Amino acid sequence: LQAVPTIKRLRGKAENIRLMELEKARAKLGEEITPKQLKVLEDLSRGIMNKMLHAPMQALRSEGDVQTHVQTIDVLGRVFGLSEEDEKTPQVRK
Amino acid sequence: LQAVPTIKRLRGKAENIRLMELEKARAKLGEEITPKQLKVLEDLSRGIMNKMLHAPMQALRSEGDVQTHVQTIDVLGRVFGLSEEDEKTPQVRK
Amino acid sequence: ASGQNYVVLEMLKKGKKCLRDNEPQRAVVLFEEALRAIDATPDFKDPLLAKRKAYRGIGGAYVQIGRPQAALDALMKVLDLTRQIGDNTGLCDAYGVIADIYTDMNKLDKAAEYYDLYIANLEQDQSAETM
Amino acid sequence: ASGQNYVVLEMLKKGKKCLRDNEPQRAVVLFEEALRAIDATPDFKDPLLAKRKAYRGIGGAYVQIGRPQAALDALMKVLDLTRQIGDNTGLCDAYGVIADIYTDMNKLDKAAEYYDLYIANLEQDQSAETM
């Protein structure tokens, strides 16, 4: 359960990246985009984000020995800047 | 320098995800895609991949104390499956 | 009904735009109006898909507003509709948002349960609702 | 020249398709043909951009063929052209591929040097050559 807040922060971080890049893509296409194309962009952005998140997310939730798990949470938290103090910038969430 | 092979493997893994998802998006759009739209898809896929790679890549290259660095390489290697033995599947690289 | 379908689609789009613009109250009004319009149209095309979009939107709006229980209620409706429809569009996304809400409510057991479902769906071919 | 531009563009596209289909030898032939066509056309539009695409393709092809030094030579041309053009399209990508090649050659110092450049460019608005 220790990893739960870390998972939420990592999700938030990735989603912010996704929304920002998706917005850029939409802006580049402007008015000429069809609903189908927009759906393809959305799916592409989600597909890449989700598959890149899969490995760290699984590691964060994996049971197994406590010491390894704590180390995983520590290192991923540090690497991705996911400690409570890092969570200063407000996150735009749907 | 210890982190160098890990960086290469992480890049390869992310690029495989990106190419796979990009191919799916292209297939969905089929013939109706313009060169400009294809470029937007490419940029979107690269934008998300690069920004999601930034934090772990920086951590892998960060100097600082040796023990922390070794721990980072170990944990990221384990989490993303980046040890030498994990590199069984051939990687499609341009 | 194709006229009514178009009207509802536009409401959903507007609602989603409100979410992006941080106007969740207005979004809720639009999404609920869409739900009523769907129910009032007997020959509406794909009513369950449209309702799922509306409830997903309401869930997002209540997250923004800060009413976690109302958000959970709406997202449970999304899971329900997904079961009825029989696809898995937006399932991963819904599990993740539900888990986030439980995390904020400090119900870490429930959060972990839904994060596990979220993670189990991460690698599948995923897509979420677009409007 | 617009006719010639179109011909070269088609060669680059075909070359890239060869790379995707794992036919690097054919790709090299096409990319080199494109380079010659660009040089032979005095009023070619944006010759440096087109050359950069061709050299990026040649670099990728030699990686696939397993001729790391030839790949490096082509990618150094890419960096060169990028300096001349003055944009940074594909810079991050080129640094990364160069570092990968040095890693394979077991020149870890050089690899680290280029990975640092790669990482420094990761967060910028990036895009690579598309053809």
Side-chain angles (χ1 to χ4, degrees):
Chain A
L1 294 187
Q2 230 181 325
V4 162
T6 312
I7 292 176
K8 174 165 186 269
R9 291 190 198 109
L10 183 53
R11 264 174 55 76
K13 219 172 158 145
E15 180 72 1
N16 282 344
I17 289 172
R18 188 184 76 84
L19 290 177
M20 216 169 59
E21 296 301 309
L22 188 60
E23 205 38 64
K24 272 193 223 163
R26 285 175 66 138
K28 279 185 218 158
L29 289 176
E31 290 302 310
E32 52 173 307
I33 195 169
T34 67
K36 186 188 164 187
Q37 288 167 345
L38 182 57
K39 174 103 177 77
V40 171
L41 287 182
E42 279 251 6
D43 287 355
L44 174 62
S45 67
R46 251 175 227 281
I48 295 173
M49 174 183 75
N50 284 351
K51 283 181 187 60
M52 290 191 70
L53 282 177
H54 186 251
M57 287 297 185
Q58 242 184 352
L60 286 171
R61 273 302 294 158
S62 83
E63 306 302 320
D65 83 291
V66 178
Q67 220 194 322
T68 311
H69 193 219
V70 168
Q71 201 192 34
T72 303
I73 298 172
D74 280 358
V75 171
L76 289 181
R78 176 164 50 72
V79 163
F80 287 99
L82 304 175
S83 72
E84 249 174 291
E85 306 86 70
D86 292 317
E87 213 184 25
K88 287 284 155 58
T89 39
Q91 286 178 12
V92 183
R93 302 283 300 121
K94 270 187 292 192
Chain B
L1 294 188
Q2 229 182 324
V4 162
T6 311
I7 292 177
K8 175 165 186 266
R9 291 190 198 110
L10 183 54
R11 264 174 55 75
K13 216 170 158 144
E15 180 72 1
N16 282 345
I17 289 172
R18 187 184 77 83
L19 290 177
M20 216 170 58
E21 296 301 308
L22 188 60
E23 206 37 66
K24 273 191 224 165
R26 286 175 66 141
K28 279 185 217 160
L29 290 175
E31 289 304 309
E32 50 174 308
I33 195 169
T34 67
K36 187 188 164 189
Q37 288 167 345
L38 183 56
K39 174 105 176 74
V40 171
L41 287 182
E42 280 251 6
D43 287 355
L44 174 62
S45 67
R46 251 174 227 282
I48 295 173
M49 175 183 74
N50 284 350
K51 283 180 187 64
M52 290 191 69
L53 282 177
H54 186 249
M57 288 297 186
Q58 242 183 351
L60 286 170
R61 273 301 295 157
S62 83
E63 307 301 323
D65 82 289
V66 178
Q67 219 194 322
T68 312
H69 194 220
V70 169
Q71 200 191 35
T72 302
I73 298 172
D74 280 356
V75 170
L76 289 181
R78 176 164 50 73
V79 163
F80 287 99
L82 305 174
S83 72
E84 249 174 289
E85 305 87 70
D86 292 317
E87 212 185 25
K88 288 281 156 61
T89 37
Q91 286 178 15
V92 184
R93 302 281 303 120
K94 272 187 291 192
Chain C
S2 85
Q4 206 49 4
N5 263 81
Y6 179 80
V7 169
V8 166
L9 203 79
E10 286 302 304
M11 280 181 205
L12 294 173
K13 264 195 206 163
K14 262 195 215 158
K16 202 178 177 190
K17 196 177 173 311
C18 289
L19 285 182
R20 276 207 303 275
D21 297 343
N22 266 298
E23 299 185 81
Q25 312 274 8
R26 265 191 69 200
V28 171
V29 172
L30 285 158
F31 289 130
E32 287 185 338
E33 206 178 324
L35 284 174
R36 277 192 301 274
I38 297 162
D39 281 334
T41 313
D43 56 346
F44 195 91
K45 192 173 162 271
D46 296 329
L48 298 184
L49 288 176
K51 281 188 175 188
R52 183 167 64 184
K53 288 181 199 215
Y55 279 114
R56 176 64 185 84
I58 292 172
Y62 280 128
V63 169
Q64 282 189 15
I65 292 168
R67 285 183 54 193
Q69 191 54 55
L72 281 179
D73 292 345
L75 288 159
M76 291 303 166
K77 277 282 197 184
V78 170
L79 295 187
D80 227 45
L81 286 161
T82 297
R83 254 168 247 127
Q84 287 179 53
I85 294 164
D87 70 353
N88 65 356
T89 305
L91 202 54
C92 182
D93 165 69
Y95 287 142
V97 177
I98 290 169
D100 286 348
I101 297 170
Y102 278 126
T103 307
D104 284 340
M105 296 168 96
N106 210 25
K107 295 188 178 175
L108 300 190
D109 278 312
K110 290 300 266 178
E113 185 186 309
Y114 279 95
Y115 279 136
D116 284 345
L117 291 165
Y118 157 73
I119 293 165
N121 278 276
L122 269 179
E123 281 225 302
Q124 285 177 249
D125 199 9
Q126 276 306 329
S127 58
E129 296 295 4
T130 42
M131 298 176 201
Chain D
S2 85
Q4 207 47 5
N5 264 80
Y6 178 80
V7 169
V8 166
L9 202 78
E10 286 301 305
M11 280 181 206
L12 295 173
K13 263 194 206 163
K14 261 194 214 159
K16 203 179 177 191
K17 195 177 175 312
C18 289
L19 286 183
R20 276 206 304 274
D21 298 343
N22 266 299
E23 299 186 82
Q25 312 274 10
R26 267 190 69 198
V28 171
V29 172
L30 284 159
F31 289 129
E32 288 185 339
E33 205 179 325
L35 284 174
R36 278 192 300 274
I38 297 163
D39 281 334
T41 314
D43 55 347
F44 195 90
K45 191 173 164 273
D46 296 329
L48 298 184
L49 288 176
K51 280 187 175 188
R52 183 166 64 183
K53 289 181 200 215
Y55 280 113
R56 175 64 184 85
I58 291 172
Y62 280 129
V63 169
Q64 281 187 16
I65 292 169
R67 286 183 54 192
Q69 191 53 56
L72 281 178
D73 292 345
L75 288 159
M76 291 303 167
K77 278 281 196 183
V78 171
L79 296 187
D80 227 46
L81 286 160
T82 297
R83 253 168 248 127
Q84 287 179 53
I85 295 166
D87 70 354
N88 66 357
T89 305
L91 202 53
C92 183
D93 165 70
Y95 287 141
V97 177
I98 291 169
D100 285 348
I101 297 170
Y102 279 126
T103 306
D104 284 339
M105 295 167 95
N106 210 25
K107 295 186 177 175
L108 301 191
D109 278 312
K110 290 301 266 177
E113 187 186 308
Y114 279 94
Y115 279 135
D116 284 343
L117 291 165
Y118 157 74
I119 293 165
N121 279 276
L122 269 180
E123 282 225 301
Q124 284 177 251
D125 200 7
Q126 276 306 328
S127 58
E129 295 295 6
T130 42
M131 299 176 200

